[in-house]
Amino acid sequence: MKTGRKVTDYINRLYHSTVYLGMLACFIAMILGIVFSSYSAQAAASIPLKINNKTVSYKGKQYVTSSQGKAVKNQTKYPGLSINNVPMVSYADTFSSISGITNKLSGNTITFEANNRKVTLYLNKKYGYVNGQKKKLAAAPVKVRYITKKKTRIYVPIKFISKNLGYVTKISGKKILISKGIPVQIFGKTKNAKVYTTFKYNGKKHSLNKSIPALSVGGVLYMPAEETLKSVCEFNYSYDVSSQKLKVSNDATDHRLEMVLDQKSASYDGKSITMKNPMTTIQRLDNNQSYLCVPANNVSKKMGLSYETTAYSLKLHDLTYFHWSTTSNDTSKNVIYDVLATYDKSEQGVSFQIKGTLASVMEQTTATRDDKIITLTIPATSSYPLKTKTFGKFGTILDQVDVKVSSGNAVTFTIRCLDSMEYSYGVEGNVLTFHVVPEGTGNKAYQLSIPKPDGVTINQISNEDNYMKNQFQIIMKGNHVGDLSSNPPIVGSDLISGVTVDLNSDGNTVITVSTTTLQGYKIFEKSKYFVVQMGKPSSIYKNIVVVDAGHGNADSGAVSNGTYEKTINLKVAYTYLKKYFQTNAPTTKVYWTRKSDTFMELSGRAAFAKKVEADIFISVHCNSAVNSSANGTEVYYCTSNNKSSFSGITSKSMATIMKNNMISALGTKDRGVKTANYYVCKYNSVPAILIELGFITGNVDYSLLTSTSWQKNASKTIYKTINQYFSTYPTGR
């Protein structure tokens, strides 16, 4: 028994040892396989070549060459090579793929031509000729034989050729990028200018090659002044040759710019400014013609245009299409005295803001759509005294807008679209905001689609944003719960965690949308649906503001005669202000730190601006003092948070505009703009101000601060000032 057990144990140990040795052998073989595989891969990366009949195993960089965004021919077969540390390419494959360059091989001589320039190179010679002038090369053209492929190519130094033909070459890692170029003379120096082959204005493509295209020289993009500003944009334009002064103005924005040749000092809207880059003359050396050019970015933005570039294109777009206004003292009817049309960049549509004198009439506005024609009707007892009644120049969005007044004194805007568009509108007081945006492709283009009950239109829809709970509500007038139960909303996004339909105490239908994170949203009307577009706030809204009602809950702020500062702050900052920002598709979105008698820590208020991707922050407070003779309005900012933000806005400029508007509208004492390290100003991520409306302890201010009409006027002034901020300093979204 014992002997048999020993033999068995021995055999078992021998068996397991054999297994372990086998596994070890496999493991070693696997490691060796990986090593040899890696070695083989490295070996495969080398290329057997003959360079001038000398056999080499090339292991250097293999460049990929592209021109105007497209790879040149045969890149995988014959890549760019580093020969004697000089980037070189196959001349036939590369330059036959580049627009504007011709090449020819005759014996040992290779010639290249473009932009009225000729480059001549010779095989195995370290010199060449540019328009007959001898030049030294970093490396000579050589024959390269691909041994495996049994093919021969002639390789040439790419930077020398492109530079001397006026093209622009950029080498980054293993990429060689060649951009179409023109040799120019600017500021007395010869440069190669990168050509922007595409120029678009309001979505339409224009050719600038009749004179000079948009060119990038030394990192600055220039465009021909007369052709772009006068012929394409149709601005008022005049250039005086003797004084070398250019005057250009845009009637739609009322912006005026005066520049003098080669001088950075200029005049903008009547004020002296310093341009980053001056207007100058650029001479094309390929045709020896000179053209007056302006720095595209600086000038276009000052004229009220959006500015956008890609690798080879320049795109400009009106931010304001037109703005017509007049004055009227007629209170017997609703006078349409102001019409503003702007470009909605985020939606690529048009936003109209129409102001009338009677809110009661403006609130009765209706809209209908018939295919590509949208009709907006402002009802009877209305008039339209503005001088312009037909509007065009909307690029690729709208064809034309016509305004007519019927015999019954109803004002009708007929909007003729170039494509299928949809609309949304809302009326707040006497201001009608109307959006026309491209129609989405099917309901999946939107995160939520709500079937339209019979007879319900967009002006019977309102909304409430409960962003603190990651919710928003769509309120539909009337009881439509049954309709939406049998034909429920269609959810098209994982951003939505739930949708409920209920009836509120007013007998209206409430659709509550819960989201996974805080979402911006806009509501539009289509033929069969109300659709909701969602996304992060900065992708949905053109402008974003945080308005902070100071104090709250146990923190009452200052107290006088039983009146709490927190109460006044909330009424001005939220209760009366919210009505101006409750449209279904707002251009400017306001987030409030509190909507009721609640409290948020100071750190939370400042951090909230970053969470909602705000552009600016406004905190509303009341002042107090021991002496009742202290009265007046003052606005604070923090010097450590006063850096220039979008379009140059700063906390100080915000404070100055707000203070001036408050004093003018409210009749309080001017206590000026002041600095202080208030937490919400100092630690904010955006330009921030703190308004002290007045002194709650003041013998003059107390009666103002506690007056409902004064509080409403203060809210309206804040609303108008917010609009002024974004009009003067556009965010660019």
Side-chain angles (χ1 to χ4, degrees), residues 237-248 257-261 263 265-267 279 292:
Y237 180 100
S238 67
Y239 181 69
D240 186 283
V241 177
S242 59
S243 64
Q244 298 182 322
K245 178 180 284 189
L246 172 67
K247 295 181 180 180
V248 59
L257 181 64
E258 295 183 12
M259 295 171 284
V260 178
L261 189 70
Q263 291 187 18
S265 57
S267 173
M279 172 180 70
L292 184 68

Side-chain angles (χ1 to χ4, degrees), residues 256-259 264-273 275:
R256 305 175 307 282
L257 181 64
E258 295 183 12
M259 295 171 284
K264 291 185 177 181
S265 57
S267 173
Y268 180 58
D269 292 345
K271 297 180 180 179
S272 296
I273 62 167
M275 303 278 285

Side-chain angles (χ1 to χ4, degrees), residues 83-114:
I83 301 176
N84 296 325
N85 294 319
V86 177
M88 302 187 61
V89 297
S90 166
Y91 95 91
D93 299 299
T94 302
F95 290 98
S96 62
S97 299
I98 300 175
S99 174
I101 299 179
T102 60
N103 62 85
K104 182 180 179 182
L105 175 65
S106 178
N108 290 333
T109 304
I110 317 150
T111 57
F112 306 86
E113 292 187 60

Side-chain angles (χ1 to χ4, degrees), residues 578-604:
K578 67 179 180 179
K579 73 172 186 176
Y580 297 108
F581 296 102
Q582 286 189 311
T583 62
N584 290 316
T587 299
T588 298
K589 172 69 174 180
V590 174
Y591 290 100
W592 286 271
T593 56
R594 67 185 183 99
K595 296 182 178 181
S596 59
D597 189 17
T598 55
F599 177 76
M600 179 184 282
E601 294 290 346
L602 293 177
S603 58

Side-chain angles (χ1 to χ4, degrees), residues 317-318 321 342-352 397-398 421 435-438:
H317 207 294
D318 283 312
Y321 292 110
T342 57
Y343 176 54
D344 188 340
K345 187 177 180 181
S346 62
E347 301 292 342
Q348 296 184 3
V350 184
S351 292
F352 296 90
I397 302 173
L398 304 181
M421 308 289 281
H435 303 273
V436 180
V437 298

Side-chain angles (χ1 to χ4, degrees), residues 713-729:
N713 195 16
S715 293
K716 188 174 183 179
T717 304
I718 293 173
Y719 160 69
K720 287 183 175 180
T721 305
I722 289 172
N723 287 340
Q724 184 179 347
Y725 289 153
F726 293 120
S727 174
T728 308
Y729 304 96

